[in-house]
Amino acid sequence: NAGVTQTPKFQVLKTGQSMTLQCAQDMNHEYMSWYRQDPGMGLRLIHYSVGAGITDQGEVPNGYNVSRSTTEDFPLRLLSAAPSQTSVYFCASRSGTGDGYTFGSGTRLTVV
Amino acid sequence: GQQLNQSPQSMFIQEGEDVSMNCTSSSIFNTWLWYKQDPGEGPVLLIALYKAGELTSNGRLTAQFGITRKDSFLNISASIPSDVGIYFCAGQHLQGANNLFFGTGTRLTVIP
């Protein structure tokens, strides 16, 4: 199993550009989440999904959109990138009965 | 958001030494989790704790769920070079609840 796969690994955007960070898991997990990691602040929840067709906001959702059309995929969209969105983004998934999230290896995004 | 403070922020220790770190919260959690993050990778779950006072081991790692439910502790015995990384605590208010609140991390360096 590949686990949680994130693409791309690195991305540089100009302010105002849009892009989609991809996340796919092959473990048939119901729950999927997006976190951002900034220095000295740990990981903060952006959006999450408890199943296909169901999404909700986390702690820092502004500037991001998500959708969950399949169990496997949970893309994160930046509508109009801002320098404040420079961060490392992690996608994670878990089964409905487990507490331990499996994390992807991250996407390092720089907005200039 | 929830404030989870980890201490120390960083540690430099000699190989073979024991390590202790802790995490405190401003609110009560029903589940405490400990993760380790290697450079360039996502966090990996080490230990999950579900009950106040619980002491759980995973090899050389031992974690405890504080009696007050507002803190947790992680100990690593006989450290080895591969223990290097950032250790995060994370709390959940309800077992299975989607929102994980992460601490700010403890960066561990092991000197051979």
Side-chain angles (χ1 to χ4, degrees), chain A residues 2-7 9 22-25 27 33-34 43 88-93 101-107, chain B residues 37 40-44:
Chain A
V4 179
T5 303
Q6 291 185 237
T7 56
K9 282 193 172 299
Q22 301 292 343
C23 176
Q25 51 92 7
M27 298 171 285
S33 300
W34 275 101
L43 286 86
V88 182
Y89 291 84
F90 288 100
C91 179
S93 74
Y101 273 93
T102 299
F103 282 81
S105 57
T107 294
Chain B
Q37 185 178 28
E41 298 295 330
V44 174

Side-chain angles (χ1 to χ4, degrees), chain B residues 5-85:
Chain B
N5 297 310
Q6 281 186 248
S7 64
Q9 286 188 331
S10 62
M11 303 179 74
F12 290 81
I13 61 168
Q14 292 288 136
E15 182 177 357
E17 288 183 350
D18 296 343
V19 173
S20 293
M21 60 188 78
N22 67 75
C23 185
T24 58
S25 168
S26 57
S27 63
I28 291 171
F29 287 112
N30 290 334
T31 300
W32 281 96
L33 306 167
W34 283 92
Y35 284 85
K36 183 192 178 206
Q37 185 178 28
D38 291 326
E41 298 295 330
V44 174
L45 182 67
L46 299 173
I47 292 178
L49 303 156
Y50 302 106
K51 188 177 176 182
E54 178 182 356
L55 192 70
T56 298
S57 294
N58 178 7
R60 293 178 297 106
L61 277 62
T62 301
Q64 184 164 22
F65 193 139
I67 290 293
T68 66
R69 295 179 173 267
K70 292 185 177 182
D71 54 10
S72 181
F73 309 90
L74 177 69
N75 294 314
I76 304 173
S77 63
S79 60
I80 59 178
S82 63
D83 290 334
V84 165

Side-chain angles (χ1 to χ4, degrees), chain A residues 15-112:
Chain A
T15 298
Q17 285 186 316
S18 63
M19 82 157 292
T20 299
L21 279 62
Q22 301 292 343
C23 176
Q25 51 92 7
D26 61 0
M27 298 171 285
N28 202 31
H29 283 171
E30 300 168 40
Y31 289 64
M32 295 186 75
S33 300
W34 275 101
Y35 289 85
R36 60 177 288 173
Q37 184 176 29
D38 301 299
M41 298 190 73
L43 286 86
R44 293 180 293 168
L45 183 66
I46 304 171
H47 285 285
Y48 65 97
S49 169
V50 300
I54 306 170
T55 64
D56 207 345
Q57 296 181 348
E59 186 182 356
V60 288
N62 292 341
Y64 308 95
N65 275 357
V66 291
S67 60
R68 184 98 178 267
S69 57
T70 66
T71 299
E72 294 79 19
D73 300 299
F74 190 43
L76 178 72
R77 280 181 285 278
L78 280 70
L79 307 174
S80 178
S84 61
Q85 293 178 305
T86 294
S87 188
V88 182
Y89 291 84
F90 288 100
C91 179
S93 74
R94 67 171 177 87
S95 68
T97 55
D99 286 293
Y101 273 93
T102 299
F103 282 81
S105 57
T107 294
R108 183 175 294 274
L109 176 68
T110 302
V111 183
V112 297

